[in-house]
Amino acid sequence: MDRRLAAVLIAELEPTVARLLDRHLAQAKEWFPHQLVPWGRGQDFEPGWEWSPDEAAPPVAVRSSLFVNLLTEDNLPYYFRTIEAMFGRDSAWGAWSRRWTAEEGRHSIVIRDYLTVTRQIDPVALERARMAQVTCGQVPEPDLPHDGLVYVTLQELATRIAHHNTGKLLDDRVGYEVMKRVAADENRHHLFYRDATAAAVELDPSGMVLAIERQVRCFEMPGTGIVDFEHHARAIARAGIYDFQIHHDQILAPVVLRYWGVEQLTGLTDEAERARDALLSRIARIGRAGRRLARHRDHGGEPELVGQSA
Ligand SMILES: [Fe+2]
Ligand SMILES: [Fe+2]
């Protein structure tokens, strides 16, 4: 598929994107990070102060999840760069990507303020990791808007689930509200992309099936450029915050199979038919692996990570 076909898809989708942006704006509720942060629990950091895990003790996996989730939000400049390059800066696409960027900016503000006040993560380690992450600037960069749409749909939903599950494990009502608020934003981002992708599937079913197959095959949770990412991702999977079973039951089955209706599409090219067969068997395999690994984990085994097998 060449660049020209990618430009055609972008142009044909523009009216849908304009409609989805209007829907998004109509449903958006203004919110303020400072109102969610428990400032009264905070105090000055005295010179020479060093963090210790006794400061506040969320389970280690929850700390890993907060660390990865926040650093992913911090990488926003590069997500913006990729999205703007892929979808363009003009028309409704550009208006969407700028609005999305403004909303995403609030996520790192509120999570960092909450973590700084409650001292749940070493602020020195966190800042050094942020510097390393943003200096490296690594984010997925799909070649085509077809792939980009699929990736961001899956990624926004995965992020929503990870934020929400992290909040539930925090054992702090205020922290739960912070993560729930961020998760609600991610859900609205997901709905925008899910419906834009559904429109793209109608416009170019074969091109989109090829893209869905590629993206499901290669999907990784965001954050692969983060220091010790794999160590943190294993802790996150072990705690059931994000794992294969969730990936299958809450993302692939409801979105790819049911909402986009990949199984029911007709008129596909031979290549797209083959990609669909491969996609459907991969999703079934991920479902079986998810159930097996969840049982394995319940018996104390090491988790495998989404993107590493199945
Ligand atoms: Fe976010
Ligand atoms: Fe988002």
Side-chain angles (χ1 to χ4, degrees), residues 24 73 75-81 83-84 93-109 156 185 189 193:
H24 177 85
E73 300 284 358
N75 226 15
L76 180 59
Y78 304 100
Y79 285 102
F80 170 75
R81 181 181 67 182
I83 282 174
E84 193 188 60
W93 284 107
W96 160 258
S97 62
R98 290 187 295 276
R99 168 74 194 201
W100 170 86
T101 302
E103 292 186 9
E104 290 289 351
R106 277 203 286 237
H107 300 170
S108 48
I109 293 170
E156 291 280 4
D185 273 10
H189 299 160
Y193 285 128

Side-chain angles (χ1 to χ4, degrees), residues 46-111:
E46 299 302 334
W49 173 85
E50 279 185 29
W51 184 83
S52 103
D54 307 332
E55 289 282 347
V60 172
V62 177
R63 199 175 287 145
S64 278
S65 187
L66 290 164
F67 183 79
V68 168
N69 291 5
L70 176 52
L71 290 173
T72 302
E73 300 284 358
D74 284 330
N75 226 15
L76 180 59
Y78 304 100
Y79 285 102
F80 170 75
R81 181 181 67 182
T82 304
I83 282 174
E84 193 188 60
M86 201 162 49
F87 298 143
R89 64 170 61 173
D90 304 318
S91 73
W93 284 107
W96 160 258
S97 62
R98 290 187 295 276
R99 168 74 194 201
W100 170 86
T101 302
E103 292 186 9
E104 290 289 351
R106 277 203 286 237
H107 300 170
S108 48
I109 293 170
V110 76
I111 297 173

Side-chain angles (χ1 to χ4, degrees), residues 16 18 39 65 106 137 224 295:
T16 303
W39 301 103
S65 187
R106 277 203 286 237
T224 48
R295 281 197 303 275

Side-chain angles (χ1 to χ4, degrees), residues 1-308:
M1 188 183 308
D2 62 23
R3 297 269 138 211
R4 197 180 47 79
L5 284 177
V8 168
L9 183 75
I10 292 289
E12 287 184 338
L13 274 181
E14 202 272 336
T16 303
V17 166
R19 182 176 56 76
L20 293 174
L21 175 60
D22 285 345
R23 181 184 76 177
H24 177 85
L25 295 174
Q27 291 172 353
K29 288 199 192 80
E30 190 180 34
W31 63 277
F32 298 95
H34 75 274
Q35 292 175 348
L36 292 172
V37 176
W39 301 103
R41 287 198 220 160
Q43 54 183 319
D44 289 348
F45 294 92
E46 299 302 334
W49 173 85
E50 279 185 29
W51 184 83
S52 103
D54 307 332
E55 289 282 347
V60 172
V62 177
R63 199 175 287 145
S64 278
S65 187
L66 290 164
F67 183 79
V68 168
N69 291 5
L70 176 52
L71 290 173
T72 302
E73 300 284 358
D74 284 330
N75 226 15
L76 180 59
Y78 304 100
Y79 285 102
F80 170 75
R81 181 181 67 182
T82 304
I83 282 174
E84 193 188 60
M86 201 162 49
F87 298 143
R89 64 170 61 173
D90 304 318
S91 73
W93 284 107
W96 160 258
S97 62
R98 290 187 295 276
R99 168 74 194 201
W100 170 86
T101 302
E103 292 186 9
E104 290 289 351
R106 277 203 286 237
H107 300 170
S108 48
I109 293 170
V110 76
I111 297 173
R112 176 165 283 96
D113 285 351
Y114 168 72
L115 292 177
T116 305
V117 164
T118 59
R119 304 188 177 209
Q120 302 199 51
I121 287 186
D122 179 355
V124 173
L126 182 63
E127 177 59 9
R128 286 182 179 151
R130 190 192 67 80
M131 285 297 290
Q133 160 84 344
V134 180
T135 304
C136 141
Q138 187 179 323
V139 292
E141 296 188 65
D143 283 338
L144 291 167
H146 303 62
D147 291 73
L149 283 169
V150 175
Y151 176 74
V152 289
T153 302
L154 304 180
Q155 191 255 344
E156 291 280 4
L157 182 53
T159 309
R160 173 211 153 180
I161 292 167
H163 282 319
H164 195 215
N165 286 345
T166 304
K168 284 196 276 194
L169 290 172
L170 264 175
D171 198 22
D172 175 17
R173 188 75 215 167
V174 175
Y176 173 71
E177 291 299 328
V178 166
M179 300 312 283
K180 193 175 83 167
R181 182 67 255 185
V182 174
D185 273 10
E186 311 295 18
N187 192 47
R188 290 184 313 104
H189 299 160
H190 162 68
L191 296 178
F192 176 94
Y193 285 128
R194 181 198 67 177
D195 291 355
T197 305
V201 169
E202 269 188 40
L203 288 166
D204 180 6
S206 292
M208 288 306 296
V209 164
L210 293 170
I212 295 169
E213 192 279 323
R214 282 191 292 269
Q215 291 302 312
V216 169
R217 172 157 40 93
C218 302
F219 185 82
E220 284 185 333
M221 279 298 273
T224 48
I226 290 171
V227 179
D228 285 340
F229 177 71
E230 201 167 295
H231 159 80
H232 293 299
R234 279 191 198 286
I236 289 165
R238 206 178 298 122
I241 291 170
Y242 198 85
D243 62 13
F244 266 116
Q245 194 168 20
I246 290 171
H247 189 59
H248 177 270
D249 295 356
Q250 297 183 40
I251 296 190
L252 300 180
V255 178
V256 176
L257 298 183
R258 292 201 285 278
Y259 199 82
W260 292 337
V262 164
E263 272 174 294
Q264 290 79 40
L265 294 175
T266 53
L268 299 180
T269 61
D270 290 349
E271 188 191 10
E273 285 285 2
R274 285 195 299 278
R276 170 163 65 184
D277 288 347
L279 170 69
L280 295 176
S281 17
R282 180 173 301 277
I283 292 177
R285 215 155 56 233
I286 292 172
R288 287 195 298 275
R291 289 189 290 280
R292 177 169 48 77
L293 292 168
R295 281 197 303 275
H296 180 63
R297 184 186 62 213
D298 292 345
H299 292 95
E302 266 300 292
E304 286 177 48
L305 305 181
V306 174
Q308 286 195 340

